[in-house]
Amino acid sequence: TTAVIRWNSTLSSKLFSNTSLYYSSFNNTQRTKSEEDGSVNLFKTTSKLNEWSIKSDFDYYISPEHVVRFGGKLSQLMFSPDILQLRNDESETNLSEATKKQAFVSEGYLEDALEWQKLNANIGIRAATYSIEGKTYFSLEPRIALNWTLKPDLTISASYMRNSQNLHLLTNSSLGLPTDLWVASTRNIAPQRADQYSLGIEKHISTKYTLGLEGYYKTMINVTRFNEGSAFLSGRDRNWENNVSVGEGEAYGSEFMFRKENARLNWMLAYTLSWSNQRFDDINRGRWFPFKYDRRHDFSALID
């Protein structure tokens, strides 16, 4: 459920603003029921997130080839992850108010987009704070994207960016039941952070055909998942923070693209070879293993 109020304004012939106030509410509930010897067993997972935010974005046009963008955002998050198990008709575990968390987020960014001869550059930096339970996390996230046209038919691109994420997706496939939960970073669980590098080349064979090749590498820290074999279904200890492992992740691969355009029938073929791995000290003897979203080979086709 979302609601947005937006105000666009032209402050001058070169400065434009876009201010938004919005509310969003996410609620995901899954239930499983089984009966055995007259006893009814219920399993329930919930994940709730409510957010109030106000943000302002500004575009300042120094010239048609040089644009500076900046802005900020303030948010209040109310997060309520939970796991509930009713063992039978006589024993019931109620939802706990202790799992509710309230967080405050502030963000600011500055970005410079410049076109200079054969080089397009986009350089920026983002700063953010995340406060919860009396603790504040600070992140500084630089980013740069370069696009260099060596010849009219040959372009090289390169980029680097750092991102942080205050939400964690907890997964566990050992139960045979859906147990994915979105949870917020807490005093004990730090936000996730990722650094990504990419390098690509694009060649125009003719006015209609284009070949592209790109490689990327991404590292992640403060990645979380449910402990293997943990008793988080127990009504005695239903705090998810006590039942997770914190580790690291990596993702890398290459993407190949062949495209036809500027014709009555346009189409594109793409192939991706990629890996996505994670590592935790107490899982798989501390060795890397494929993550659940690892997709080694991916083929796609698009016709327009």
Side-chain angles (χ1 to χ4, degrees):
T1 302
T2 62
V4 181
I5 298 176
R6 181 179 292 112
W7 175 46
N8 298 324
S9 178
T10 302
L11 302 178
S12 70
S13 60
K14 294 186 177 182
L15 182 61
F16 305 88
S17 69
N18 186 340
T19 301
S20 300
L21 172 66
Y22 67 89
Y23 167 78
S24 67
S25 177
F26 170 83
N27 184 5
N28 179 51
T29 302
Q30 299 174 347
R31 296 179 177 88
T32 303
K33 177 181 178 180
S34 64
E35 297 184 15
E36 182 179 359
D37 298 331
S39 177
V40 177
N41 302 300
L42 300 176
F43 177 83
K44 177 183 178 182
T45 65
T46 66
S47 187
K48 298 180 181 179
L49 172 63
N50 294 334
E51 178 181 4
W52 283 97
S53 292
I54 182 171
K55 68 173 185 174
S56 291
D57 302 301
F58 298 87
D59 294 346
Y60 181 68
Y61 288 83
I62 299 176
S63 69
E65 297 80 21
H66 192 184
V67 183
V68 176
R69 299 180 176 92
F70 57 95
K73 176 181 175 182
L74 296 174
S75 301
Q76 180 190 42
L77 303 176
M78 290 294 298
F79 207 93
S80 305
D82 213 336
I83 299 174
L84 169 65
Q85 182 189 31
L86 307 183
R87 298 193 175 188
N88 50 54
D89 295 334
E90 299 178 357
S91 176
E92 180 175 345
T93 304
N94 295 319
L95 291 173
S96 173
E97 293 292 327
T99 62
K100 290 187 176 181
K101 308 288 184 181
Q102 180 173 264
F104 296 92
V105 179
S106 62
E107 304 173 1
Y109 72 92
L110 175 64
E111 178 183 293
D112 193 351
L114 175 64
E115 297 181 16
W116 182 69
Q117 296 183 0
K118 297 182 179 182
L119 179 66
N120 290 349
N122 193 312
I123 303 172
I125 192 167
R126 177 179 177 270
T129 63
Y130 175 83
S131 302
I132 188 170
E133 300 176 311
K135 186 171 183 177
T136 298
Y137 296 97
F138 175 77
S139 62
L140 193 63
E141 304 166 19
R143 55 200 61 190
I144 180 172
L146 303 175
N147 195 298
W148 187 19
T149 303
L150 296 177
K151 299 179 181 180
D153 60 348
L154 184 62
T155 302
I156 293 178
S157 60
S159 68
Y160 162 75
M161 67 174 60
R162 169 173 291 181
N163 294 309
S164 64
Q165 179 172 298
N166 302 318
L167 303 182
H168 297 265
L169 177 61
L170 298 180
T171 63
N172 191 323
S173 59
S174 62
L175 296 173
L177 294 172
T179 57
D180 288 2
L181 284 179
W182 285 101
V183 295
S185 299
T186 66
R187 183 178 183 84
N188 302 315
I189 307 296
Q192 301 179 74
R193 194 183 74 193
D195 292 274
Q196 179 166 317
Y197 311 81
S198 68
L199 180 64
I201 184 170
E202 188 173 278
K203 169 71 173 179
H204 296 280
I205 301 175
S206 67
T207 57
K208 293 184 179 181
Y209 295 97
T210 302
L211 280 172
L213 179 64
E214 183 177 64
Y216 68 93
Y217 181 71
K218 182 178 182 179
T219 61
M220 294 160 278
I221 63 173
N222 298 328
V223 177
T224 58
R225 65 174 279 136
F226 278 124
N227 293 329
E228 295 295 331
S230 63
F232 71 95
L233 293 178
S234 170
R236 295 188 299 270
D237 183 10
R238 296 177 47 249
N239 186 347
W240 65 268
E241 297 179 58
N242 301 328
N243 297 287
V244 299
S245 298
V246 179
E248 58 181 331
E250 64 176 7
Y252 55 92
S254 58
E255 302 175 346
F256 173 80
M257 176 272 298
F258 183 48
R259 181 176 67 237
K260 180 184 179 181
E261 54 189 355
N262 300 322
R264 294 186 61 183
L265 180 63
N266 300 317
W267 50 263
M268 183 183 72
L269 300 176
Y271 166 69
T272 301
L273 174 63
S274 62
W275 289 261
S276 181
N277 303 311
Q278 290 186 346
R279 181 169 64 183
F280 299 85
D281 291 338
D282 52 353
I283 299 175
N284 196 34
R285 299 180 180 179
R287 296 177 297 187
W288 290 99
F289 61 91
F291 186 42
K292 66 180 293 185
Y293 295 115
D294 180 88
R295 299 182 64 181
R296 193 61 42 87
H297 304 280
D298 184 83
F299 296 89
S300 60
L302 176 64
I303 300 176
D304 184 8

